[in-house]
Amino acid sequence: MKALTYAIRGFGRELRTGEVLVLLAAVALAVAALTAVGFLTDRIGRGVARQANEVLAADLRLRSPDPVPGEWRDAALEYALQTAETQTFPSVVFAGDLSALATIKGVSDNYPLRGSVRVSDRLFGEQHVADGIPSRGEVWADGALMARLGLRVGDYVTVGESDLRVDAVLTYRPDQSIGFASLAPSLLVNLLDLPGTALINEGSRVGYALLVAGDESAIDEFYAAVEDELPQSVRVRNQEDSSQRATNAADRAQRFLSLTAVISLLLSAVAIAMSARRFAHRRMDTVALMKSLGARQRFVISVSCVQIVMLGVLGILIGSAVGYAVENGLTVILADLFASELPGASLRPVGLASGSALILLVGFALPSLIQLRNTPSLRVLRHDEMPPPPSRMFVAGTSLVAVALLLYLTIGDALMLVIVLGGMLVISAALYGVGRLLVSAMGRSRGGVGIAWRYGLANISRRGRDSAVQVVAFGLGLTVLLLLTFVRTDLLEGWQRTLDEDAPNHFVINIQSHERGSIAEIFQSGGIAAPRFVPLVRARMTEINGESIKTREYPEENGRWMANREQNLSWAESLSSSNEIIEGTWWPPDYDGEPLVSLEEEAAMELGVGLGDKLNFLAAGQEISLIVSSIRHVNWDSFQPNFFMVLSPGALDGFPTTFVASLKIEEQQNNVLLRLVRAHPSVSVIDLEVILEQVKGIIDKASLAVQVVFAFTIAAGVAVLFAAVQSTIDERRFESALLRALGVRRRTVLAGVLTEFAALGFAAGLLASAGASILAAVIAVQLFDLDYSFNPMLWVGGLAGGVVLVCVSGFVAVRGAINVPPIDVLRAA
């Protein structure tokens, strides 16, 4: 109790000292960065999961060949969940003498529960978000269907025994497939109109679905309640791969934000380590006096620990408040990334930030407190008496464990942990080595220059290990500032380049072989380059290495689904620009051997197959045997026609083949699409503009968010620079007073100090430039799968910034020490 009372009484006085303010700022910055990014990534993460479910138009979809029982709906209502129903089936529809096959989709009120339906007032006209669902007696028709039947908005279409009015052109619904399987255009109908069509009878092939949306925990409870009652024929889905592009973009945005927060934390850790060292050193005289008056080690260490904890709590409160305010601002910036409002923030980031702050304090302040505990009482009389330092291995081990644990709790990404922490360790070791070389060089080369230069260079040599430690602190601060000043711009620009301005925004599917020439002429006559027609054959896998896919065990949960789904097989002579071979080899030009197949890496992993394995397929009643010759990485962000399985030339000869194509079409060129679907009514055009806009929006907004979060890194870098200067401020104050008492002018003393900082800053900036360049290249390639190009301005900024930033921060920090009257300092000594 006495220790607690003593610590509380002295805490206010301690807050007025420079090193404690830096320590408090470092803790607050670490918490603010973690809280802001933690709140944001937590909300974005749940928002991304919700957005990924837009391809279901719900959070959970129960699809069945039989009508949805009322018990399922009632169970969902018990958990306060929203529900909607759909009924989907193929049917021929008529308009006068014309007819066409369509996918009839009946929907109930509340559809869609996630995402939105887009419609237009005319074919290939401007899209807008639909309000609700089609009214009774009305339908929304796919543009391809309207072109095939020669319909316009306001015309009537016959569906079974009902004549329904076309109220709008259906351009997009969230649960539509953007793959190559949906060849029949859609007709969206009010579910209440389906009985009047008399199309659904006993034996009809109808897909019934119950859509459910709501709180994530309520969804889980609902599914647990009905899971055992669901028939085997019911297929349950809670996510789809169709939104992979948008999900990948949002995931990459979160990784950018996490990287910024982690580097801010590393800087804060360095600032805390430097400040804690001075915190302990400044208290040695007080501890020695306390011990000489009878205080025990337990009391001494208790007082210091209580004050450190109080400092941590204050830093947590300040940092949490700042982080929450910044997160609110970032939420406004990112609000339109998602079709629906972002989920509310959970308290998890606050707990993580608070725990991280305590880990930082324990890991980086504890070694200094252990040394403080051993301060000898004799120091009251002899100020040069120092306590024995703790084991360097203990200090390094404690600090490394603290940082490693903190980073893992923060990002949960082992690869990022190894790259960032490993890179910083290597750079720190190199900086320390350069610092020791600088100390040695300054000791031999300070003659022959002016008094200010001799004083500054002598300071570097005389302080020895402390100068090397300052080079490490300055260098680490400069490394991450360079990394996130210059390189973050390069990374963001590289990310934006992954989505080319000329990326295709339309897919054209179900093209027959004899239609390719005519379609190419239509595009060319409209000023659009003829697309590349990619062949497509539908097939089903039957065996893997002679074992039936029905009985085979799969290493991944999705492996059985991947094996049993209807496959889109294609063939190619050369490797697509959006593909990269990571195992095996691509077949040579003019290949004419046994049929080979190249697998996409995730498909190969889920199926549990590798090079040399044999896959059997059934296509159009014929067996195909294929040998796996390579594994590919596919850039799905390219919006090019890509496939899980690509075959060698000749492997699909003689099989019924359709073709697909992707191309970029400007808004003013939409009349070409109208001509296309009228000339070739069996061809379907899929508009990807909605998805492209979504991905571009995520990239643009996330880039802006990274710029905002970067402010934490700037502040943490400044804290490191000040902490490094503060670590020697007492010595500088005494030296300045002594020199001025001997007649040296204040300007000369200040020039000497700036010379010292300029030399330290140049050495730190040189190595920081090299470290930032290497670390940026590794981060770009390994973490973000981006190409990195060398930026010479990084070296210019590193060297100039090293000298300027270190000199400015040093000047601001030591100016007060130099201006103190010499008599005051000498009397206190």
Side-chain angles (χ1 to χ4, degrees), residues 517-597:
S518 173
I519 291 175
E521 290 178 4
I522 291 174
F523 284 125
Q524 289 171 338
S525 65
I528 302 172
R532 181 174 66 92
F533 297 99
V534 180
L536 170 67
V537 173
R538 306 288 292 173
R540 283 196 175 275
M541 189 181 298
T542 57
E543 294 179 345
I544 298 177
N545 292 328
E547 183 181 359
S548 171
I549 62 170
K550 303 294 184 183
T551 58
R552 178 181 170 84
E553 295 293 330
Y554 298 93
E556 295 286 333
E557 183 178 349
N558 288 332
R560 187 171 302 279
W561 174 81
M562 175 63 69
N564 285 275
R565 70 191 291 267
E566 192 171 16
Q567 303 287 347
N568 298 312
L569 303 182
S570 184
W571 61 267
E573 294 182 354
S574 58
L575 185 67
S576 169
S577 60
S578 58
N579 288 231
E580 177 186 359
I581 298 293
I582 58 175
E583 287 186 53
T585 57
W586 189 260
W587 37 83
D590 302 323
Y591 177 78
D592 192 26
E594 63 177 336
L596 304 177
V597 61

Side-chain angles (χ1 to χ4, degrees), residues 17-257:
T17 60
E19 73 280 358
V20 173
L21 288 177
V22 174
L23 191 57
L24 177 64
V27 174
L29 284 169
V31 174
L34 259 186
T35 306
V37 176
F39 274 135
L40 192 64
T41 53
D42 178 66
R43 296 180 70 183
I44 287 182
R46 288 185 289 147
V48 167
R50 177 180 293 181
Q51 182 164 310
N53 288 339
E54 287 182 10
V55 294
L56 304 174
D59 294 331
L60 183 73
R61 183 179 69 192
L62 305 178
R63 192 165 63 187
S64 171
D66 303 308
V68 174
E71 291 80 1
W72 297 0
R73 291 190 299 270
D74 295 339
L77 294 176
E78 288 179 7
Y79 292 96
L81 298 172
Q82 294 178 291
T83 64
E85 292 185 49
T86 67
Q87 296 177 15
T88 309
F89 57 92
S91 179
V92 175
V93 297
F94 299 87
D97 295 331
L98 299 177
S99 63
L101 179 65
T103 298
I104 311 297
K105 189 173 188 69
V107 296
S108 68
D109 289 336
N110 294 333
Y111 173 88
L113 299 179
R114 294 286 181 240
S116 58
V117 175
R118 292 175 178 255
V119 295
S120 175
D121 296 329
R122 56 186 175 83
L123 271 177
F124 303 111
E126 185 176 351
Q127 305 178 42
H128 61 272
V129 175
D131 183 16
I133 63 173
S135 302
R136 294 287 303 273
E138 296 180 346
V139 295
W140 296 341
D142 186 285
L145 181 64
M146 296 185 67
R148 294 175 191 180
L149 298 177
L151 293 170
R152 294 183 179 180
V153 173
D155 292 344
Y156 282 82
V157 61
T158 301
V159 183
E161 297 180 1
S162 297
D163 290 329
L164 304 174
R165 179 179 175 273
V166 177
D167 183 59
V169 180
L170 177 64
T171 59
Y172 173 80
R173 56 181 174 84
D175 54 348
Q176 75 181 31
S177 170
I178 65 168
F180 308 132
S182 300
L183 303 183
S186 298
L187 190 70
L188 203 63
V189 183
N190 191 306
L191 193 64
L192 298 177
D193 281 332
L194 287 185
T197 65
L199 290 175
I200 300 179
N201 300 295
E202 186 176 353
S204 297
R205 295 187 60 184
V206 182
Y208 298 87
L210 175 66
L211 309 181
V212 182
D215 182 74
E216 185 177 353
S217 60
I219 291 285
D220 293 339
E221 292 174 3
F222 161 74
Y223 180 62
V226 302
E227 182 178 12
D228 293 338
E229 301 176 6
L230 297 179
Q232 290 287 336
S233 58
V234 174
R235 186 178 182 187
V236 180
R237 296 302 301 269
N238 56 9
Q239 65 179 358
E240 290 275 354
D241 293 330
S242 303
S243 63
Q244 193 65 37
R245 297 178 181 90
T247 304
N248 285 344
D251 286 345
R252 190 175 278 170
Q254 290 187 42
R255 212 167 198 184
F256 266 119
L257 291 170

Side-chain angles (χ1 to χ4, degrees), residues 714-736:
I714 294 289
V718 172
V720 167
L721 297 179
F722 271 89
V725 175
Q726 284 284 337
S727 65
T728 58
I729 199 69
D730 290 335
E731 296 176 40
R732 298 180 188 281
R733 185 180 289 112
F734 182 78
E735 290 171 357
S736 172

Side-chain angles (χ1 to χ4, degrees), residues 330-344:
L330 290 176
T331 299
V332 173
I333 294 174
L334 301 178
D336 59 347
L337 287 188
F338 302 93
S340 55
E341 184 178 351
L342 280 173

Side-chain angles (χ1 to χ4, degrees), residues 597-729:
V597 61
S598 175
L599 287 182
E600 190 267 345
E601 55 182 334
E602 289 190 12
M605 181 174 59
E606 291 173 356
L607 291 171
V609 300
L611 301 180
D613 286 340
K614 182 178 180 181
L615 307 181
N616 285 5
F617 291 87
L618 186 64
Q622 301 181 54
E623 284 278 350
I624 314 173
S625 293
L626 306 169
I627 302 298
V628 178
S629 65
S630 63
I631 309 295
R632 292 169 293 117
H633 170 73
V634 176
N635 177 19
W636 298 105
D637 293 338
S638 67
F639 286 84
Q640 300 288 343
N642 281 309
F643 300 86
F644 289 113
M645 302 180 188
V646 179
L647 281 60
S648 57
L652 297 175
D653 287 353
F655 289 92
T657 304
T658 60
F659 293 83
V660 299
S662 64
L663 64 165
K664 171 78 172 180
I665 299 178
E666 303 295 343
E667 186 176 350
Q668 63 271 21
Q669 297 173 318
N670 279 343
N671 61 316
V672 177
L673 295 177
L674 190 58
R675 289 172 50 201
L676 171 66
V677 295
R678 286 177 175 170
H680 300 276
S682 62
V683 170
S684 293
V685 179
I686 299 175
D687 189 351
L688 301 179
E689 195 65 40
V690 173
I691 299 173
L692 274 168
E693 289 176 0
Q694 186 181 57
V695 175
K696 288 179 180 178
I698 290 175
I699 292 176
D700 293 340
K701 296 297 184 178
S703 300
L704 182 57
V706 170
Q707 312 291 348
V708 175
V709 176
F710 174 61
F712 288 118
T713 308
I714 294 289
V718 172
V720 167
L721 297 179
F722 271 89
V725 175
Q726 284 284 337
S727 65
T728 58
I729 199 69

Side-chain angles (χ1 to χ4, degrees), residues 290-353:
M290 291 168 64
K291 282 190 171 184
S292 67
L293 295 176
R296 297 181 178 180
Q297 277 192 355
R298 181 179 176 182
F299 178 83
V300 170
I301 198 69
S302 296
V303 170
S304 298
C305 287
V306 168
Q307 290 184 342
I308 284 289
V309 170
M310 292 174 66
L311 190 69
V313 171
L314 183 58
I316 287 171
L317 293 175
I318 294 173
S320 297
V322 172
Y324 183 74
V326 171
E327 187 273 337
N328 275 334
L330 290 176
T331 299
V332 173
I333 294 174
L334 301 178
D336 59 347
L337 287 188
F338 302 93
S340 55
E341 184 178 351
L342 280 173
S346 69
L347 294 179
R348 180 178 177 275
V350 176
L352 179 60

